[in-house]
Coordinates of all heavy atoms in Angstrom, one line a residue:
M1 N 10.3 -9.3 -11.3 CA 9.2 -8.4 -11.3 C 7.9 -9.1 -10.8 O 7.7 -10.2 -11.0 CB 9.0 -7.9 -12.8 CG 10.0 -7.0 -13.3 SD 10.0 -5.4 -12.5 CE 11.2 -4.5 -13.4
T2 N 7.1 -8.3 -10.2 CA 5.9 -8.7 -9.6 C 4.8 -7.9 -10.2 O 4.9 -6.6 -10.1 CB 5.9 -8.7 -8.1 OG1 6.9 -9.6 -7.6 CG2 4.6 -9.0 -7.4
R3 N 3.7 -8.5 -10.7 CA 2.7 -7.7 -11.3 C 1.6 -7.3 -10.2 O 1.1 -8.2 -9.6 CB 2.0 -8.5 -12.4 CG 2.8 -8.7 -13.7 CD 2.2 -9.7 -14.6 NE 2.0 -11.0 -14.0 CZ 0.8 -11.5 -13.6 NH1 -0.3 -10.9 -13.9 NH2 0.7 -12.7 -13.0
I4 N 1.4 -6.0 -10.1 CA 0.4 -5.5 -9.2 C -0.5 -4.5 -9.9 O 0.0 -3.7 -10.7 CB 1.2 -4.8 -8.0 CG1 2.0 -5.8 -7.2 CG2 0.2 -4.1 -7.1 CD1 2.9 -5.1 -6.2
T5 N -1.7 -4.5 -9.6 CA -2.6 -3.5 -10.1 C -3.1 -2.7 -9.0 O -3.7 -3.2 -8.0 CB -3.8 -4.2 -10.8 OG1 -3.4 -5.0 -11.9 CG2 -4.8 -3.2 -11.4
F6 N -2.9 -1.4 -9.1 CA -3.5 -0.4 -8.2 C -4.8 0.1 -8.7 O -4.9 0.5 -9.9 CB -2.5 0.8 -8.0 CG -1.2 0.4 -7.2 CD1 -0.1 -0.1 -7.9 CD2 -1.2 0.5 -5.8 CE1 1.0 -0.4 -7.2 CE2 -0.1 0.2 -5.1 CZ 1.1 -0.3 -5.8
I7 N -5.8 0.2 -7.9 CA -7.0 0.9 -8.2 C -6.9 2.3 -7.6 O -6.8 2.4 -6.3 CB -8.3 0.2 -7.6 CG1 -8.3 -1.3 -8.0 CG2 -9.5 0.9 -8.0 CD1 -8.5 -1.6 -9.4
Q8 N -6.8 3.3 -8.4 CA -6.5 4.6 -8.0 C -7.8 5.2 -7.4 O -8.9 4.7 -7.6 CB -5.9 5.4 -9.1 CG -4.6 4.8 -9.6 CD -4.0 5.5 -10.8 OE1 -2.9 6.0 -10.8 NE2 -4.8 5.5 -11.9
P9 N -7.7 6.4 -6.7 CA -8.9 6.9 -6.0 C -10.0 7.2 -7.0 O -11.2 7.2 -6.6 CB -8.4 8.2 -5.4 CG -6.9 7.9 -5.1 CD -6.5 7.1 -6.3
D10 N -9.7 7.5 -8.3 CA -10.8 7.8 -9.2 C -11.4 6.5 -9.8 O -12.3 6.6 -10.7 CB -10.3 8.7 -10.3 CG -9.2 8.1 -11.2 OD1 -8.9 6.9 -10.9 OD2 -8.8 8.7 -12.2
G11 N -10.9 5.3 -9.4 CA -11.5 4.1 -9.8 C -10.7 3.5 -11.0 O -11.0 2.4 -11.4
S12 N -9.8 4.2 -11.6 CA -9.0 3.7 -12.7 C -7.9 2.7 -12.2 O -7.4 2.8 -11.1 CB -8.4 4.9 -13.5 OG -7.5 5.6 -12.7
E13 N -7.6 1.8 -13.1 CA -6.6 0.8 -12.8 C -5.2 1.2 -13.3 O -5.1 1.8 -14.4 CB -7.0 -0.5 -13.5 CG -8.2 -1.2 -12.9 CD -8.4 -2.6 -13.5 OE1 -7.6 -3.1 -14.2 OE2 -9.5 -3.2 -13.1
K14 N -4.2 0.9 -12.5 CA -2.8 1.3 -12.9 C -2.0 0.0 -12.7 O -1.6 -0.4 -11.6 CB -2.3 2.4 -12.0 CG -0.9 2.7 -12.2 CD -0.7 3.7 -13.4 CE 0.7 4.1 -13.5 NZ 0.9 5.0 -14.7
P15 N -1.8 -0.7 -13.8 CA -0.9 -1.9 -13.7 C 0.6 -1.5 -13.5 O 1.0 -0.6 -14.1 CB -1.1 -2.6 -15.0 CG -1.8 -1.7 -15.9 CD -2.2 -0.5 -15.1
V16 N 1.2 -2.2 -12.6 CA 2.6 -1.9 -12.3 C 3.5 -3.2 -12.3 O 3.0 -4.2 -11.8 CB 2.7 -1.2 -10.9 CG1 4.2 -1.1 -10.4 CG2 2.1 0.2 -10.9
E17 N 4.6 -3.1 -13.0 CA 5.6 -4.2 -12.9 C 6.5 -3.8 -11.7 O 7.4 -3.0 -11.9 CB 6.4 -4.3 -14.2 CG 5.5 -4.7 -15.4 CD 5.3 -6.2 -15.4 OE1 6.1 -7.0 -14.8 OE2 4.3 -6.6 -16.0
A18 N 6.3 -4.3 -10.6 CA 6.9 -3.9 -9.4 C 8.2 -4.6 -9.1 O 8.4 -5.8 -9.5 CB 6.0 -4.1 -8.2
K19 N 9.2 -3.9 -8.6 CA 10.5 -4.5 -8.3 C 10.5 -5.1 -6.9 O 10.1 -4.5 -5.9 CB 11.6 -3.4 -8.3 CG 12.0 -2.9 -9.7 CD 13.2 -2.1 -9.6 CE 13.6 -1.6 -11.0 NZ 14.3 -0.3 -11.0
N20 N 10.8 -6.4 -6.9 CA 10.9 -7.1 -5.6 C 12.0 -6.5 -4.8 O 13.1 -6.0 -5.3 CB 11.2 -8.6 -5.8 CG 10.1 -9.3 -6.5 OD1 8.9 -9.0 -6.3 ND2 10.4 -10.2 -7.4
G21 N 11.8 -6.4 -3.5 CA 12.8 -5.9 -2.5 C 12.6 -4.4 -2.2 O 13.0 -3.9 -1.2
L22 N 11.9 -3.7 -3.1 CA 11.5 -2.3 -2.8 C 10.1 -2.3 -2.1 O 9.4 -3.3 -2.2 CB 11.4 -1.5 -4.1 CG 12.6 -1.2 -4.9 CD1 12.3 -0.2 -6.0 CD2 13.7 -0.5 -4.0
S23 N 9.8 -1.3 -1.5 CA 8.5 -1.2 -0.8 C 7.4 -1.0 -1.8 O 7.6 -0.6 -3.0 CB 8.4 -0.1 0.2 OG 8.4 1.1 -0.4
L24 N 6.2 -1.3 -1.4 CA 5.0 -1.1 -2.3 C 4.9 0.4 -2.5 O 4.6 0.8 -3.7 CB 3.8 -1.6 -1.5 CG 2.5 -1.8 -2.2 CD1 2.6 -2.7 -3.4 CD2 1.5 -2.4 -1.2
M25 N 5.2 1.2 -1.6 CA 5.1 2.7 -1.8 C 6.2 3.1 -2.8 O 5.8 3.9 -3.7 CB 5.4 3.4 -0.4 CG 5.5 4.9 -0.5 SD 7.1 5.5 -1.0 CE 8.1 5.4 0.5
E26 N 7.4 2.7 -2.7 CA 8.4 3.1 -3.7 C 8.0 2.7 -5.1 O 8.2 3.5 -6.0 CB 9.8 2.4 -3.3 CG 10.4 3.0 -2.1 CD 11.6 2.2 -1.6 OE1 11.4 1.0 -1.4 OE2 12.6 2.8 -1.3
N27 N 7.5 1.5 -5.2 CA 7.0 1.1 -6.6 C 5.9 1.9 -7.0 O 5.8 2.3 -8.2 CB 6.6 -0.4 -6.5 CG 7.8 -1.4 -6.7 OD1 8.4 -1.4 -7.8 ND2 8.2 -2.0 -5.6
A28 N 5.0 2.2 -6.2 CA 3.8 3.1 -6.6 C 4.3 4.5 -7.0 O 3.8 5.0 -8.0 CB 2.8 3.2 -5.4
V29 N 5.1 5.1 -6.2 CA 5.6 6.4 -6.5 C 6.4 6.4 -7.8 O 6.2 7.2 -8.7 CB 6.5 7.0 -5.4 CG1 7.2 8.2 -5.8 CG2 5.6 7.2 -4.2
N30 N 7.3 5.4 -8.0 CA 8.1 5.3 -9.2 C 7.2 5.1 -10.5 O 7.6 5.5 -11.6 CB 9.1 4.1 -9.1 CG 10.2 4.4 -8.1 OD1 10.4 5.5 -7.7 ND2 10.9 3.3 -7.7
S31 N 6.0 4.6 -10.3 CA 5.1 4.3 -11.4 C 4.1 5.4 -11.5 O 3.2 5.3 -12.4 CB 4.5 2.9 -11.2 OG 5.5 1.9 -11.2
G32 N 4.1 6.4 -10.7 CA 3.1 7.5 -10.8 C 1.7 7.1 -10.4 O 0.7 7.7 -10.9
V33 N 1.6 6.2 -9.5 CA 0.2 5.9 -9.0 C -0.4 7.1 -8.3 O 0.3 7.7 -7.4 CB 0.3 4.6 -8.0 CG1 -1.1 4.4 -7.4 CG2 0.8 3.4 -8.8
I34 N -1.6 7.4 -8.7 CA -2.3 8.6 -8.1 C -2.7 8.3 -6.7 O -3.2 7.2 -6.4 CB -3.5 9.0 -9.0 CG1 -3.0 9.4 -10.4 CG2 -4.3 10.1 -8.3 CD1 -4.1 9.5 -11.4
G35 N -2.6 9.2 -5.8 CA -3.1 9.1 -4.4 C -2.1 8.6 -3.4 O -2.4 8.5 -2.2
I36 N -0.9 8.2 -3.8 CA 0.1 7.9 -2.9 C 1.2 9.0 -2.9 O 2.0 9.0 -3.9 CB 0.7 6.5 -3.2 CG1 -0.4 5.4 -3.0 CG2 1.9 6.2 -2.2 CD1 0.1 4.0 -3.2
T37 N 1.2 9.9 -2.0 CA 2.1 11.0 -2.1 C 3.3 10.8 -1.2 O 4.4 11.4 -1.5 CB 1.4 12.3 -1.6 OG1 0.9 12.1 -0.3 CG2 0.3 12.7 -2.6
A38 N 3.2 9.9 -0.2 CA 4.4 9.4 0.5 C 5.2 10.6 1.0 O 6.4 10.7 0.8 CB 5.2 8.5 -0.3
E39 N 4.6 11.5 1.7 CA 5.2 12.8 2.1 C 6.5 12.6 3.0 O 7.4 13.4 3.0 CB 4.2 13.7 2.8 CG 3.2 14.3 1.8 CD 2.1 15.0 2.4 OE1 2.1 15.3 3.6 OE2 1.1 15.2 1.7
C40 N 6.5 11.5 3.8 CA 7.6 11.4 4.7 C 8.7 10.4 4.1 O 9.7 10.1 4.7 CB 7.2 10.8 6.0 SG 6.8 9.1 6.1
N41 N 8.4 10.0 2.8 CA 9.4 9.2 2.1 C 9.7 7.9 2.8 O 10.8 7.4 2.7 CB 10.7 10.0 1.8 CG 11.4 9.5 0.6 OD1 10.8 8.9 -0.2 ND2 12.7 9.7 0.6
G42 N 8.7 7.3 3.4 CA 8.8 6.0 4.0 C 9.3 6.0 5.4 O 9.7 4.9 5.9
S43 N 9.3 7.1 6.1 CA 9.8 7.1 7.5 C 8.7 6.8 8.5 O 8.9 7.0 9.7 CB 10.3 8.5 7.8 OG 11.2 8.9 6.9
L44 N 7.5 6.4 8.0 CA 6.4 6.0 8.9 C 6.0 7.2 9.8 O 5.8 7.1 11.0 CB 6.9 4.8 9.8 CG 5.8 3.9 10.4 CD1 4.7 3.6 9.5 CD2 6.4 2.7 11.0
A45 N 5.8 8.3 9.1 CA 5.5 9.5 9.8 C 4.4 10.4 9.1 O 4.2 11.5 9.5 CB 6.7 10.4 10.0
C46 N 3.7 9.8 8.1 CA 2.8 10.7 7.4 C 1.4 10.0 7.1 O 0.4 10.6 7.0 CB 3.4 11.2 6.1 SG 3.5 10.0 4.8
A47 N 1.4 8.7 6.9 CA 0.2 7.9 6.5 C -0.4 8.4 5.1 O -1.5 8.1 4.8 CB -0.9 8.0 7.6
T48 N 0.4 9.0 4.3 CA 0.0 9.4 3.0 C 0.3 8.3 1.9 O 0.3 8.6 0.7 CB 0.5 10.8 2.5 OG1 2.0 10.7 2.5 CG2 0.1 11.9 3.4
C49 N 0.6 7.1 2.4 CA 0.8 6.0 1.6 C -0.2 4.9 1.9 O 0.0 3.7 1.6 CB 2.2 5.5 1.7 SG 2.6 4.9 3.4
H50 N -1.4 5.3 2.4 CA -2.4 4.3 2.8 C -3.0 3.6 1.7 O -3.3 4.2 0.6 CB -3.5 5.2 3.5 CG -4.7 4.4 4.0 ND1 -6.0 4.9 4.1 CD2 -4.8 3.1 4.3 CE1 -6.8 4.0 4.5 NE2 -6.1 2.9 4.7
V51 N -3.0 2.2 1.8 CA -3.6 1.4 0.8 C -4.4 0.3 1.5 O -4.3 0.1 2.7 CB -2.5 0.7 -0.1 CG1 -1.8 1.7 -1.0 CG2 -1.6 -0.2 0.7
V52 N -5.3 -0.3 0.7 CA -6.2 -1.4 1.2 C -5.8 -2.6 0.4 O -6.0 -2.6 -0.8 CB -7.7 -1.0 1.1 CG1 -8.5 -2.2 1.6 CG2 -8.0 0.3 1.9
L53 N -5.4 -3.6 1.1 CA -5.0 -4.9 0.5 C -6.2 -5.8 0.3 O -7.2 -5.7 1.1 CB -3.9 -5.6 1.3 CG -2.7 -4.8 1.7 CD1 -1.7 -5.7 2.5 CD2 -2.0 -4.3 0.4
P54 N -6.1 -6.8 -0.6 CA -7.1 -7.8 -0.6 C -7.0 -8.7 0.7 O -5.9 -8.8 1.3 CB -6.8 -8.7 -1.8 CG -5.5 -8.1 -2.4 CD -5.1 -6.9 -1.6
Q55 N -8.1 -9.2 1.2 CA -8.1 -9.9 2.5 C -7.1 -11.0 2.5 O -6.4 -11.2 3.5 CB -9.5 -10.5 2.7 CG -9.7 -11.2 4.0 CD -9.8 -10.3 5.2 OE1 -10.7 -9.4 5.2 NE2 -8.9 -10.4 6.2
D56 N -7.0 -11.8 1.5 CA -6.1 -13.0 1.5 C -4.6 -12.5 1.6 O -3.8 -13.1 2.3 CB -6.3 -13.9 0.3 CG -6.1 -13.2 -1.0 OD1 -6.1 -12.0 -1.1 OD2 -5.9 -13.9 -2.0
L57 N -4.3 -11.4 1.0 CA -2.9 -10.9 1.0 C -2.6 -10.3 2.4 O -1.6 -10.5 3.0 CB -2.7 -9.9 -0.1 CG -1.3 -9.3 -0.1 CD1 -0.2 -10.3 -0.3 CD2 -1.2 -8.2 -1.2
F58 N -3.6 -9.6 2.9 CA -3.5 -9.0 4.3 C -3.2 -10.1 5.3 O -2.3 -10.0 6.1 CB -4.8 -8.2 4.6 CG -4.7 -7.5 6.0 CD1 -4.2 -6.3 6.1 CD2 -5.2 -8.2 7.1 CE1 -4.1 -5.6 7.4 CE2 -5.2 -7.6 8.3 CZ -4.6 -6.3 8.5
D59 N -4.0 -11.2 5.2 CA -3.8 -12.3 6.1 C -2.4 -12.9 6.0 O -1.8 -13.3 7.0 CB -4.9 -13.3 5.9 CG -6.3 -12.8 6.3 OD1 -6.4 -11.8 7.0 OD2 -7.3 -13.5 5.9
K60 N -2.0 -13.0 4.7 CA -0.7 -13.7 4.5 C 0.5 -12.8 5.0 O 1.4 -13.4 5.6 CB -0.5 -13.9 3.0 CG 0.7 -14.6 2.6 CD 1.0 -14.7 1.1 CE 0.0 -15.7 0.4 NZ 0.4 -15.8 -1.1
L61 N 0.4 -11.5 4.9 CA 1.4 -10.6 5.4 C 1.4 -10.4 6.9 O 2.4 -10.1 7.5 CB 1.4 -9.3 4.7 CG 1.5 -9.3 3.1 CD1 1.4 -7.9 2.6 CD2 2.9 -9.9 2.8
G62 N 0.3 -10.6 7.5 CA 0.2 -10.4 8.9 C -0.2 -9.0 9.3 O -0.1 -8.1 8.4
A63 N -0.7 -8.8 10.5 CA -1.2 -7.5 10.9 C 0.0 -6.5 11.0 O 1.2 -6.9 11.2 CB -1.8 -7.6 12.3
P64 N -0.3 -5.2 10.8 CA 0.8 -4.2 10.9 C 1.4 -4.1 12.3 O 0.7 -4.4 13.3 CB 0.0 -2.9 10.6 CG -1.4 -3.2 10.7 CD -1.6 -4.6 10.5
M65 N 2.7 -3.8 12.4 CA 3.3 -3.6 13.6 C 2.7 -2.4 14.4 O 2.0 -1.6 13.8 CB 4.8 -3.4 13.4 CG 5.5 -4.5 12.7 SD 5.6 -6.0 13.6 CE 7.1 -5.7 14.6
S66 N 3.0 -2.3 15.7 CA 2.3 -1.3 16.5 C 2.5 0.2 16.0 O 1.5 0.9 16.0 CB 2.7 -1.4 17.9 OG 4.0 -1.0 18.1
H67 N 3.7 0.6 15.6 CA 3.8 2.0 15.1 C 3.0 2.2 13.8 O 2.4 3.3 13.7 CB 5.3 2.3 15.0 CG 5.5 3.8 14.8 ND1 4.9 4.8 15.6 CD2 6.3 4.5 13.9 CE1 5.3 6.0 15.2 NE2 6.2 5.8 14.2
E68 N 3.1 1.3 12.9 CA 2.3 1.4 11.7 C 0.8 1.5 12.1 O 0.0 2.3 11.5 CB 2.6 0.2 10.8 CG 1.7 0.3 9.5 CD 1.9 -0.9 8.6 OE1 2.8 -1.7 8.8 OE2 1.1 -0.9 7.6
D69 N 0.4 0.6 13.0 CA -1.0 0.5 13.4 C -1.4 1.9 14.0 O -2.5 2.4 13.7 CB -1.1 -0.5 14.5 CG -2.5 -0.9 14.7 OD1 -3.2 -1.3 13.8 OD2 -3.0 -0.9 15.9
D70 N -0.5 2.5 14.8 CA -0.8 3.9 15.3 C -1.0 4.9 14.2 O -1.9 5.7 14.2 CB 0.3 4.3 16.3 CG 0.3 3.5 17.6 OD1 -0.7 2.8 17.9 OD2 1.3 3.5 18.3
M71 N 0.0 4.8 13.2 CA 0.0 5.8 12.2 C -1.3 5.7 11.3 O -1.8 6.7 10.7 CB 1.2 5.7 11.3 CG 2.5 6.3 11.9 SD 2.3 8.0 12.4 CE 1.9 8.8 10.9
L72 N -1.8 4.5 11.1 CA -3.0 4.3 10.3 C -4.2 5.1 10.8 O -5.0 5.5 10.1 CB -3.3 2.8 10.2 CG -2.5 2.1 9.1 CD1 -2.6 0.6 9.4 CD2 -3.0 2.4 7.7
E73 N -4.1 5.4 12.1 CA -5.2 6.2 12.7 C -5.2 7.6 12.2 O -6.2 8.4 12.3 CB -5.2 6.2 14.2 CG -5.3 4.8 14.8 CD -6.6 4.1 14.4 OE1 -7.6 4.8 14.3 OE2 -6.6 2.9 14.3
F74 N -4.0 8.1 11.7 CA -3.9 9.4 11.2 C -4.1 9.6 9.7 O -3.9 10.6 9.1 CB -2.5 10.0 11.6 CG -2.3 10.1 13.0 CD1 -1.6 9.2 13.8 CD2 -2.8 11.2 13.7 CE1 -1.4 9.3 15.1 CE2 -2.7 11.4 15.1 CZ -2.0 10.4 15.8
A75 N -4.4 8.5 9.0 CA -4.6 8.5 7.6 C -5.8 9.4 7.3 O -6.8 9.4 8.0 CB -4.8 7.1 7.0
E76 N -5.6 10.2 6.2 CA -6.7 11.2 5.9 C -7.9 10.4 5.3 O -9.1 10.8 5.4 CB -6.2 12.2 4.8 CG -5.4 13.3 5.5 CD -5.0 14.3 4.5 OE1 -5.6 14.4 3.4 OE2 -4.1 15.1 4.8
T77 N -7.6 9.3 4.7 CA -8.6 8.4 4.1 C -9.0 7.4 5.2 O -8.1 6.9 5.9 CB -8.2 7.7 2.8 OG1 -6.9 7.3 3.0 CG2 -8.2 8.7 1.7
E78 N -10.2 7.0 5.2 CA -10.7 6.2 6.3 C -10.1 4.8 6.4 O -10.0 4.1 5.4 CB -12.2 6.0 6.2 CG -12.8 5.4 7.5 CD -14.4 5.3 7.4 OE1 -14.9 5.9 6.5 OE2 -14.9 4.6 8.2
R79 N -9.6 4.4 7.6 CA -9.0 3.1 7.8 C -10.0 2.0 7.6 O -11.2 2.1 8.0 CB -8.4 3.1 9.2 CG -7.7 1.8 9.4 CD -7.0 1.7 10.8 NE -6.3 0.5 10.9 CZ -5.5 0.3 11.9 NH1 -5.3 1.2 12.9 NH2 -4.8 -0.9 12.0
Q80 N -9.6 0.9 6.9 CA -10.4 -0.2 6.8 C -9.8 -1.5 7.3 O -8.6 -1.4 7.7 CB -10.8 -0.4 5.3 CG -11.5 0.9 4.8 CD -11.7 1.0 3.3 OE1 -12.0 0.0 2.7 NE2 -11.7 2.2 2.8
D81 N -10.5 -2.6 7.3 CA -10.0 -3.8 8.0 C -8.6 -4.3 7.4 O -7.8 -4.8 8.1 CB -11.0 -5.0 7.8 CG -12.2 -4.7 8.7 OD1 -12.1 -3.9 9.6 OD2 -13.2 -5.4 8.5
C82 N -8.4 -4.1 6.1 CA -7.2 -4.5 5.4 C -6.3 -3.4 5.1 O -5.5 -3.5 4.1 CB -7.6 -5.4 4.2 SG -8.5 -6.9 4.6
S83 N -6.4 -2.3 5.8 CA -5.5 -1.1 5.6 C -4.1 -1.4 6.0 O -3.8 -2.1 7.0 CB -6.0 0.1 6.4 OG -7.2 0.6 5.8
R84 N -3.1 -0.9 5.1 CA -1.7 -0.9 5.5 C -1.1 0.4 5.0 O -1.7 1.1 4.2 CB -1.0 -2.1 4.8 CG -1.4 -3.5 5.3 CD -0.9 -3.8 6.7 NE 0.5 -3.6 6.9 CZ 1.5 -4.5 6.9 NH1 1.2 -5.7 6.6 NH2 2.7 -4.2 7.1
L85 N 0.1 0.6 5.5 CA 0.9 1.7 4.9 C 1.8 1.1 3.9 O 2.6 0.2 4.3 CB 1.6 2.5 6.0 CG 0.7 3.2 7.0 CD1 1.5 3.9 8.1 CD2 -0.2 4.2 6.3
A86 N 1.8 1.6 2.7 CA 2.5 1.0 1.6 C 4.0 1.0 1.8 O 4.7 0.1 1.2 CB 2.1 1.6 0.3
C87 N 4.5 1.9 2.6 CA 6.0 2.0 2.8 C 6.4 0.9 3.7 O 7.6 0.6 3.8 CB 6.4 3.3 3.3 SG 5.8 3.7 5.0
Q88 N 5.5 0.2 4.4 CA 5.9 -0.9 5.3 C 5.6 -2.3 4.7 O 5.8 -3.3 5.4 CB 5.1 -0.7 6.6 CG 5.3 0.6 7.3 CD 6.8 0.8 7.6 OE1 7.4 0.0 8.2 NE2 7.3 1.9 7.1
V89 N 5.2 -2.3 3.4 CA 5.0 -3.6 2.8 C 6.1 -3.8 1.7 O 6.2 -3.0 0.8 CB 3.6 -3.6 2.1 CG1 3.4 -4.9 1.4 CG2 2.5 -3.5 3.2
Q90 N 6.9 -4.8 1.9 CA 7.9 -5.1 0.9 C 7.4 -5.9 -0.2 O 6.7 -6.9 0.0 CB 9.1 -5.8 1.5 CG 10.3 -5.8 0.6 CD 11.5 -6.4 1.4 OE1 11.4 -7.4 2.1 NE2 12.7 -5.8 1.2
V91 N 7.7 -5.5 -1.5 CA 7.2 -6.3 -2.6 C 8.0 -7.6 -2.7 O 9.2 -7.6 -2.7 CB 7.3 -5.5 -3.9 CG1 7.0 -6.3 -5.1 CG2 6.3 -4.3 -3.9
S92 N 7.3 -8.7 -2.9 CA 7.9 -10.0 -3.1 C 6.9 -10.8 -4.0 O 5.8 -10.3 -4.3 CB 8.0 -10.7 -1.8 OG 6.7 -11.1 -1.3
P93 N 7.4 -11.9 -4.5 CA 6.5 -12.7 -5.4 C 5.1 -13.0 -4.8 O 4.2 -13.3 -5.5 CB 7.3 -14.0 -5.7 CG 8.7 -13.5 -5.6 CD 8.7 -12.5 -4.5
D94 N 5.0 -13.0 -3.4 CA 3.7 -13.2 -2.8 C 2.7 -12.2 -3.2 O 1.5 -12.5 -3.1 CB 3.9 -13.0 -1.2 CG 4.5 -14.2 -0.6 OD1 4.6 -15.2 -1.2 OD2 4.8 -14.1 0.6
L95 N 3.1 -11.0 -3.7 CA 2.1 -10.0 -4.2 C 1.8 -10.1 -5.6 O 1.0 -9.3 -6.1 CB 2.7 -8.6 -3.9 CG 2.5 -8.1 -2.5 CD1 3.4 -8.8 -1.5 CD2 2.8 -6.6 -2.4
D96 N 2.3 -11.1 -6.3 CA 2.1 -11.2 -7.8 C 0.6 -11.4 -8.0 O -0.1 -12.2 -7.5 CB 2.8 -12.4 -8.4 CG 2.9 -12.3 -9.9 OD1 3.2 -11.2 -10.4 OD2 2.6 -13.3 -10.6
G97 N 0.0 -10.5 -8.9 CA -1.4 -10.6 -9.3 C -2.3 -9.8 -8.3 O -3.5 -9.8 -8.5
A98 N -1.7 -9.2 -7.3 CA -2.6 -8.5 -6.3 C -3.2 -7.3 -6.9 O -2.7 -6.6 -7.7 CB -1.8 -8.2 -5.1
V99 N -4.4 -7.0 -6.4 CA -5.2 -5.8 -6.8 C -5.3 -5.0 -5.5 O -5.9 -5.4 -4.5 CB -6.6 -6.1 -7.3 CG1 -7.3 -4.8 -7.6 CG2 -6.4 -6.9 -8.6
I100 N -4.6 -3.8 -5.5 CA -4.5 -3.0 -4.2 C -5.2 -1.7 -4.4 O -4.9 -1.0 -5.5 CB -3.0 -2.9 -3.9 CG1 -2.4 -4.2 -3.6 CG2 -2.8 -1.8 -2.8 CD1 -0.9 -4.3 -3.3
R101 N -6.0 -1.3 -3.5 CA -6.8 -0.1 -3.7 C -6.2 1.1 -2.9 O -5.8 0.9 -1.8 CB -8.2 -0.4 -3.2 CG -9.3 0.6 -3.6 CD -10.7 0.0 -3.5 NE -10.9 -0.5 -2.2 CZ -11.2 0.3 -1.1 NH1 -11.3 1.6 -1.3 NH2 -11.5 -0.3 0.0
V102 N -6.1 2.2 -3.6 CA -5.8 3.5 -3.0 C -7.1 4.2 -2.6 O -7.8 4.5 -3.5 CB -4.9 4.3 -3.9 CG1 -4.5 5.6 -3.2 CG2 -3.7 3.6 -4.4
P103 N -7.4 4.3 -1.3 CA -8.7 4.8 -1.0 C -8.9 6.3 -1.4 O -8.0 7.0 -1.5 CB -8.7 4.7 0.6 CG -7.5 4.2 1.0 CD -6.6 4.0 -0.2
A104 N -10.1 6.6 -1.7 CA -10.5 7.9 -2.1 C -10.6 8.8 -0.9 O -11.0 8.3 0.2 CB -11.8 7.9 -2.9
G105 N -10.3 10.1 -1.0 CA -10.3 11.0 0.2 C -11.6 11.5 0.6 O -12.6 11.1 0.1
Ligands
FES201 S1 5.4 7.2 3.3 FE1 4.9 8.2 5.1 S2 4.1 6.7 6.4 FE2 4.5 5.7 4.5

């Protein structure tokens, strides 16, 4: 298990014991994190799983691949420097203790 805290769009914190090997989106949806609707269920076709990572974690994981990068432009919430699509981020111990923000619409 990897401990992740989501900051939901209303500013409230949602601590999650995330399963390694599943995506950040799957863990968020399974835990009822508000603001991640994941309409395409991880097919990289909706951008409704937009999250903002802490800078150090974003740097560690590397920049999004080109299709994810393209899809981020369609996110309803404004893209930021450390934006990622949560369905494209696999949970691993590298994420332990991370605080991940779900942007407000
Ligand atoms: S769930 Fe649709 S792009 Fe991530």
Side-chain angles (χ1 to χ4, degrees):
M1 288 290 186
T2 295
R3 290 171 301 110
I4 296 171
T5 300
F6 288 89
I7 307 295
Q8 300 177 120
D10 65 359
S12 63
E13 294 188 3
K14 176 83 173 178
V16 169
E17 294 282 337
K19 285 190 181 154
N20 295 323
L22 293 184
S23 72
L24 196 53
M25 176 278 280
E26 290 169 307
N27 276 290
V29 169
N30 291 345
S31 302
V33 174
I34 297 168
I36 297 185
T37 55
E39 287 169 15
C40 78
N41 203 25
S43 307
L44 201 45
C46 73
T48 60
C49 63
H50 178 205
V51 292
V52 179
L53 305 183
Q55 182 77 55
D56 59 343
L57 181 59
F58 182 86
D59 292 344
K60 186 186 283 186
L61 296 179
M65 303 291 277
S66 66
H67 191 44
E68 179 185 352
D69 196 54
D70 291 344
M71 282 306 299
L72 277 163
E73 298 302 325
F74 294 100
E76 285 184 14
T77 45
E78 191 177 348
R79 183 176 183 172
Q80 299 173 35
D81 289 346
C82 296
S83 287
R84 292 293 307 265
L85 294 178
C87 65
Q88 301 303 304
V89 177
Q90 191 174 44
V91 171
S92 72
D94 280 350
L95 277 70
D96 195 47
V99 177
I100 294 174
R101 198 160 52 79
V102 182

